[in-house]
Amino acid sequence: MRALVCDTLTDDFSGLSVRDIPVPDLGKGEVLLRVEAASVNFPDLLMSQGTYQTKPELPFTQGMECAGTVAAIGVGVVGFAPGDRVVGGNKTGAFAEYAALPASGLTRIPENMGFAEAAAYPAAYLTAYVALVRRANLQPGETLLVHGASGGVGMAAVDVGKLLGATVIATSASDSKLDVVIAHGADYAINVTQGFRDKVKTLTGGRGADVIFDPVGGDVFDESVRCIAFDGRLLVVGFTSGRIPEVKA
């Protein structure tokens, strides 16, 4: 089967190559999935550089999430059969024509959802849901500021925020991407390259945002601290800027 394999850890992804490798053997409790679609996550990039907390033994097949059709089931697997449409993942192995995945982590794909949507859904929407519902306790009528809103997890946060009844202010680093997030349901959009603190204050009547969803970190996090409402919640989701957030108390 063809797969995207990481042979060496490099900063420029030159250690990756697409080549033929054997179809993985099934272990106990695993399902062999014929992969139809896979999603790219930030940890995929970090793992190929050796900078993620999970460090697979080289060489390894890249890819955390995928969706497809069950091709075979291993010993001890119940509830799934060849032909079932499922989505799931592991730390590695998704960027290939076939993937061996633990059956315990698989979910059936609804009939009205395609493979591409299913592959991109779990990490992004679960992250947004846990952050906004379980951690921030976002309430109807509150203001939600979403950074990196044109990315996968940012777009999911816009969706979930609107479903929860919040007013959503979305940010991105380009005007064309701002058009996308407005079309996706955000109430307001701000280009962060021009600063956002004062604009957020203006849009919220001087209060600031009740909840801030930040997968960017770095300078964006620093400025977020300066436009958060009293009793606000600042969610540290990631650091795609390259600098881990810190508060100088």
Side-chain angles (χ1 to χ4, degrees), residues 194-208:
Q194 302 164 8
F196 59 87
R197 171 189 174 183
D198 292 339
K199 294 176 182 177
V200 170
K201 288 278 195 174
T202 299
L203 290 172
T204 57
R207 293 185 62 255

Side-chain angles (χ1 to χ4, degrees), residues 149-218:
S150 60
V153 70
M155 196 79 78
V158 172
D159 267 351
V160 175
K162 291 303 297 180
L163 286 170
L164 293 173
T167 297
V168 177
I169 304 172
T171 76
S172 185
S174 78
D175 290 336
S176 61
K177 291 180 179 180
L178 294 179
D179 293 337
V180 173
V181 296
I182 286 293
H184 203 69
D187 298 287
Y188 306 100
I190 299 172
N191 189 322
V192 292
T193 62
Q194 302 164 8
F196 59 87
R197 171 189 174 183
D198 292 339
K199 294 176 182 177
V200 170
K201 288 278 195 174
T202 299
L203 290 172
T204 57
R207 293 185 62 255
D210 298 294
V211 176
I212 302 177
F213 184 95
D214 179 22
V216 179

